[in-house]
Amino acid sequence: QAIEAIEKTIARGEQALLFLNKRGFAHSIQCEDCGWTAECKNCDSTMAVHKSPPQLNCHHCLSYRPTPRSCDHCNSIRLTSKGVGTEQLETFLRQKISDAPLFRVDSDSVSSLPALNELLSNIQQARSAVLLGTQMLSKGHHFPRVTCVVIVDSDSLLFSPDFRAEERLLQLLTQVSGRSGRAELPGEVLIQTRSPDHPLIKNSAIAPYADLAHALLERRRSLGLPPHGALGVIRADARDERDAINFLSQLKEVLGADAKSRLLGPMPALMTRRAGLYRYHIVVHSQSRKTVHQILQRAINAGSSLKIGRKTSWFVEIDPNEIV
């Protein structure tokens, strides 16, 4: 359906935009015989497959290694790329659609601001074209000839453990959809999903943004989460995992219990090891922002006097962007 819609758009002399917020060729490389997956040595993450240049990249610590020809565990040569990135989608589109130029816009294909400006100028000059990119393509650009937007793999944010995941997905769908039909030409938006019955996915096509945002806010109110509650985070990063845990454990003991708040943790971040550091945190939750401020101020004062704090890099954050 998406390819058909793109072909019709090109035939009308208009432009189509495909949004995929995953750069590279594939998410990971895996052995079909033993299940081994190439993982980053510095992070709890798989390494993404890139074709240009041909290598495996960690998108978190920016380390890289040559693409293996055989499995590191069993030496099998049956290695398979898993998942789809912008490089792979570009290859597929070039095979399917040859009647219009294709522009890929991500941090791998655009290395500088002058290069980005030149690429955007070429897009503006093209009558019909296919645009493919990550959020770099969706933010703040006006493409008057884009009348078809395809959001590829919209589920990537849907089932995140972060309580803001649905909010961010709604913002993303609204932002990317807004690239279509911005001028006098009417537009259409196609959302690729494996969860078509999820209320947010289903209603995003028919309900106003304000109604959906209000429903999310009401759910936050019932759970006491921001903006109807307050959150803070005390995070510690250390080379030795025990140092991060012990620092936060001692700090939590000093802070003590409080009827007006909850201290959750110490617990590992979703990606516990990143760039060679182990990441643990305590989440501070209260219905009062003032209470969270007071606890974090006490944490700063107490943490500065703990000897074990010298072995860790630690900080506090109010209204953290992520707590996973």
Side-chain angles (χ1 to χ4, degrees):
Q1 184 179 358
I3 292 298
E4 181 181 349
I6 294 170
E7 289 175 338
K8 289 180 178 179
T9 302
I10 298 304
R12 294 195 303 266
E14 298 163 4
Q15 296 180 352
L17 185 153
L18 288 89
F19 174 84
L20 174 61
N21 208 27
K22 293 183 176 66
R23 60 190 179 91
F25 185 83
H27 305 170
S28 62
I29 192 168
Q30 186 175 49
C31 175
E32 291 295 318
D33 289 325
C34 73
W36 168 84
T37 300
E39 296 183 346
C40 177
K41 293 181 179 180
N42 304 314
C43 307
D44 291 336
S45 173
T46 58
M47 302 192 78
V49 182
H50 285 247
K51 293 294 186 181
S52 180
Q55 61 188 23
L56 302 183
N57 287 12
C58 176
H59 291 169
H60 304 285
C61 70
L62 306 183
S63 63
Y64 59 91
R65 57 168 289 191
T67 304
R69 296 186 177 182
S70 61
C71 172
D72 285 2
H73 185 259
C74 71
N75 294 321
S76 169
I77 60 172
R78 298 197 329 127
L79 301 181
T80 305
S81 296
K82 301 294 184 181
V84 178
T86 49
E87 280 187 340
Q88 186 175 165
L89 187 53
E90 178 187 20
T91 300
F92 172 79
L93 289 171
R94 290 193 184 280
Q95 294 172 348
K96 292 288 184 178
I97 301 171
S98 58
D99 297 335
L102 191 154
F103 301 97
R104 191 179 104 223
V105 185
D106 57 27
S107 57
D108 294 322
S109 61
V110 181
S111 57
S112 66
L113 182 58
L116 175 60
N117 290 333
E118 181 181 357
L119 184 57
L120 293 176
S121 176
N122 291 337
I123 292 173
Q124 297 286 359
Q125 293 174 19
R127 178 172 172 78
S128 60
V130 177
L131 286 55
L132 163 64
T134 58
Q135 278 191 291
M136 181 183 291
L137 185 61
S138 67
K139 289 184 175 180
H141 303 303
H142 176 58
F143 302 115
R145 298 202 61 77
V146 169
T147 58
C148 176
V149 164
V150 181
I151 301 173
V152 183
D153 191 17
S154 66
D155 300 333
S156 57
L157 279 176
L158 193 57
F159 301 109
S160 166
D162 193 329
F163 73 91
R164 294 185 178 91
E166 290 186 343
E167 174 191 353
R168 289 172 174 159
L169 176 58
L170 177 59
Q171 292 172 345
L172 182 65
L173 293 175
T174 303
Q175 181 185 68
V176 178
S177 299
R179 300 307 100 190
S180 179
R182 291 174 64 86
E184 68 279 359
L185 299 171
E188 64 176 331
V189 179
L190 285 76
I191 301 174
Q192 183 191 70
T193 177
R194 299 176 185 86
S195 308
D197 294 327
H198 189 282
L200 184 61
I201 296 291
K202 188 188 322 185
N203 294 328
S204 64
I206 57 176
Y209 175 86
D211 291 353
L212 297 175
H214 180 74
L216 292 177
L217 282 171
E218 284 302 310
R219 190 182 309 168
R220 297 271 190 89
R221 185 193 301 275
S222 68
L223 297 173
L225 293 172
H228 302 292
L231 286 178
V233 163
I234 309 166
R235 201 182 92 191
D237 300 349
R239 294 284 177 186
D240 189 322
E241 186 174 15
R242 293 168 296 181
D243 289 338
I245 297 172
N246 290 338
F247 168 74
L248 291 175
S249 297
Q250 290 184 29
L251 186 57
K252 184 177 180 180
E253 186 175 347
V254 172
L255 293 174
D258 187 331
K260 296 181 180 180
S261 63
R262 292 189 299 166
L263 301 182
L264 308 176
M267 53 187 170
L270 183 62
M271 185 183 296
T272 307
R273 189 170 57 99
R274 181 168 179 170
L277 297 176
Y278 289 91
R279 308 158 69 225
Y280 279 76
H281 57 235
I282 293 173
V283 177
V284 182
H285 178 223
S286 174
Q287 292 306 296
S288 165
R289 179 175 291 272
K290 182 179 179 180
T291 299
V292 171
H293 283 213
Q294 292 173 341
I295 292 173
L296 293 183
Q297 185 59 59
R298 287 168 50 207
I300 292 172
N301 297 335
S304 301
S305 63
L306 292 176
K307 290 184 179 180
I308 194 172
R310 301 169 188 170
K311 297 182 180 181
T312 68
S313 172
W314 64 277
F315 62 90
V316 303
E317 186 176 3
I318 297 172
D319 293 331
N321 287 328
E322 59 179 26
I323 57 172
V324 294

